[in-house]
Amino acid sequence: VLPARARRVARTRVPRQAGVMWCCCTEEASEQATIISTRRSLTTEEQEASRKAYALALAEEKTALLAHQKDARPLSKNVVRMPLSSVREDGNTSGETRVPPPSFVAVVNKTAPDTPLGLHVDLSDGRALHVCSVRQGPKCPVAQYNSSAREESQLRAGDYIKAVNGVHGDANQIADALKLGVKTVLVVQRPDQFKRQVVRRETEPMGLDLNFSEKGSSLVIMSIVDGAVKRCAPDVRPGDRIVSVDGATGTALELLDIIQRLVSMELEISRCC
């Protein structure tokens, strides 16, 4: 059941299959994830706050443009001037080239098949396991692995587990594979993380359908329709995760609450390539 503030945001839940949160640090039942929509229009109070924020953003943009036009000083050879045509009103650049982050194989040994690995993972995107946290302790298999692995091959919060012992493509099946056998071979992908500034216009919605687990630490973008995110950050795509808002991290519900309260915000996106 959604808390009261989330029900007001969602109005209705989207009837589709949701992912689950599964914790292999402790014995914990699977939790049904929640999908909500941020497509709704703003309230009267939010509309007024949005108008003021948007007017301020336009005024700041105009001031910055005038200052740029008056500045005729030559640039240093080490400074690359970006063409104005490549800068949108939100400050994001077009045509940005992204380099996929590295992936690696981690072999984690357990003392018994039912020994918890020591990972808190989120299955909400349905394709891979998103590592929310890594448990520490001398008897924790992942902590033991990290202690002897090179830094570039250590498991960290924010990583994606794309396959376990050859099982891939389905988050639930990958999670089940973690519970089998004493030797666990993980294919791990570092996250591709980037930030995008989003400013809502007047009554404009965010235009996102989000999937999340209440015990997770991110919001999975399931679909994108017309709205602030599509306009300001067209390179954001379904499957991306929102991991922080204006530098703030927390639970999925806390991130959702911040998004609903702000008109202008910086979204930090995590992507599994």
Side-chain angles (χ1 to χ4, degrees), residues 10 27 36 47 57 60 76 91 105 109 117 133 150 152 189 193 207 227 261:
E27 294 297 328
I36 72 167
Q47 291 178 24
E60 291 176 347
S76 166
V105 174
N109 296 309
L117 277 179
S133 62
R150 294 179 300 178
E152 61 269 23
Q189 176 78 59
Q193 294 194 198
R261 287 189 286 105

Side-chain angles (χ1 to χ4, degrees), residues 8 10 34 64 67 79 109 142 150 156 158 219 232 235 260 266:
R8 288 195 298 271
T34 303
V79 177
N109 296 309
V142 169
R150 294 179 300 178
R156 309 170 186 165
L219 301 167
C232 294
D235 56 336
Q260 294 300 327
E266 183 181 68

Side-chain angles (χ1 to χ4, degrees), residues 174-228:
I174 296 173
D176 289 340
L178 285 175
K179 308 174 188 178
L180 304 175
V182 294
K183 186 174 183 178
T184 308
V185 181
L186 313 176
V187 177
V188 183
Q189 176 78 59
R190 295 290 192 218
D192 178 14
Q193 294 194 198
F194 54 95
K195 297 178 181 180
R196 292 293 180 263
Q197 190 71 27
V198 175
V199 181
R200 289 191 291 188
R201 291 173 172 170
E202 300 187 352
T203 62
E204 185 180 35
M206 291 289 285
L208 300 176
D209 285 335
L210 303 172
N211 190 14
F212 65 95
S213 172
E214 291 188 8
K215 293 185 180 180
S217 56
S218 62
L219 301 167
V220 180
I221 299 174
M222 302 302 291
S223 62
I224 304 174
V225 297
D226 290 341

Side-chain angles (χ1 to χ4, degrees), residues 2 12 29 31 51 62 64 83 100 131 163-164 168 203 205 222 226 248 256:
L2 285 171
T12 58
E31 175 196 354
R51 291 190 185 95
K62 184 176 181 181
V131 179
V164 174
H168 62 90
T203 62
M222 302 302 291
D226 290 341
L256 179 63

Side-chain angles (χ1 to χ4, degrees), residues 9 40-52 200 202-203 260-263:
V9 169
R40 61 124 179 142
S41 297
L42 306 181
T43 64
T44 303
E45 293 77 10
E46 290 172 329
Q47 291 178 24
E48 182 60 26
S50 177
R51 291 190 185 95
K52 292 180 179 179
R200 289 191 291 188
E202 300 187 352
T203 62
Q260 294 300 327
R261 287 189 286 105
L262 296 180
V263 174

Side-chain angles (χ1 to χ4, degrees), residues 25-36:
C25 295
T26 58
E27 294 297 328
E28 178 179 311
S30 296
E31 175 196 354
Q32 188 72 13
T34 303
I35 300 180
I36 72 167

Side-chain angles (χ1 to χ4, degrees), residues 7-258:
R7 284 201 300 270
R8 288 195 298 271
V9 169
R11 296 193 299 179
T12 58
R13 296 180 63 178
V14 178
R16 62 185 295 180
Q17 184 67 33
V20 295
M21 163 69 73
W22 177 69
C23 178
C24 55
C25 295
T26 58
E27 294 297 328
E28 178 179 311
S30 296
E31 175 196 354
Q32 188 72 13
T34 303
I35 300 180
I36 72 167
S37 175
T38 60
R39 302 183 186 187
R40 61 124 179 142
S41 297
L42 306 181
T43 64
T44 303
E45 293 77 10
E46 290 172 329
Q47 291 178 24
E48 182 60 26
S50 177
R51 291 190 185 95
K52 292 180 179 179
Y54 188 58
L56 178 61
L58 289 178
E60 291 176 347
E61 179 185 5
K62 184 176 181 181
T63 301
L65 180 60
L66 291 174
H68 172 77
Q69 292 173 342
K70 291 179 180 179
D71 186 6
R73 292 175 298 173
L75 296 176
S76 166
K77 293 182 179 179
N78 296 326
V79 177
V80 178
R81 171 167 278 168
M82 188 180 304
L84 292 179
S85 59
S86 69
V87 182
R88 298 194 300 274
E89 64 183 64
D90 56 3
N92 297 330
T93 61
S94 60
E96 180 181 1
T97 301
R98 306 205 60 76
V99 179
S103 60
F104 60 92
V105 174
V107 180
V108 181
N109 296 309
K110 300 184 289 184
T111 56
D114 59 350
T115 301
L117 277 179
L119 294 173
H120 190 189
V121 296
D122 183 346
L123 289 68
S124 297
D125 71 3
R127 300 174 300 140
L129 310 183
H130 182 243
V131 179
C132 299
S133 62
V134 178
R135 190 178 183 182
Q136 303 300 320
K139 296 183 179 181
C140 178
V142 169
Q144 292 177 346
Y145 163 80
N146 280 346
S147 66
S148 59
R150 294 179 300 178
E151 183 177 359
E152 61 269 23
S153 298
Q154 294 177 359
L155 281 158
R156 309 170 186 165
D159 285 345
Y160 291 93
I161 300 176
K162 300 178 68 174
V164 174
N165 293 342
V167 178
H168 62 90
D170 183 281
N172 288 290
Q173 294 180 12
I174 296 173
D176 289 340
L178 285 175
K179 308 174 188 178
L180 304 175
V182 294
K183 186 174 183 178
T184 308
V185 181
L186 313 176
V187 177
V188 183
Q189 176 78 59
R190 295 290 192 218
D192 178 14
Q193 294 194 198
F194 54 95
K195 297 178 181 180
R196 292 293 180 263
Q197 190 71 27
V198 175
V199 181
R200 289 191 291 188
R201 291 173 172 170
E202 300 187 352
T203 62
E204 185 180 35
M206 291 289 285
L208 300 176
D209 285 335
L210 303 172
N211 190 14
F212 65 95
S213 172
E214 291 188 8
K215 293 185 180 180
S217 56
S218 62
L219 301 167
V220 180
I221 299 174
M222 302 302 291
S223 62
I224 304 174
V225 297
D226 290 341
V229 172
K230 185 176 181 178
R231 175 178 56 81
C232 294
D235 56 336
V236 172
R237 62 196 189 198
D240 288 347
R241 288 177 180 266
I242 300 173
V243 294
S244 77
V245 183
D246 266 7
T249 58
T251 66
L253 285 175
E254 288 171 339
L255 294 177
L256 179 63
D257 185 64
I258 296 172

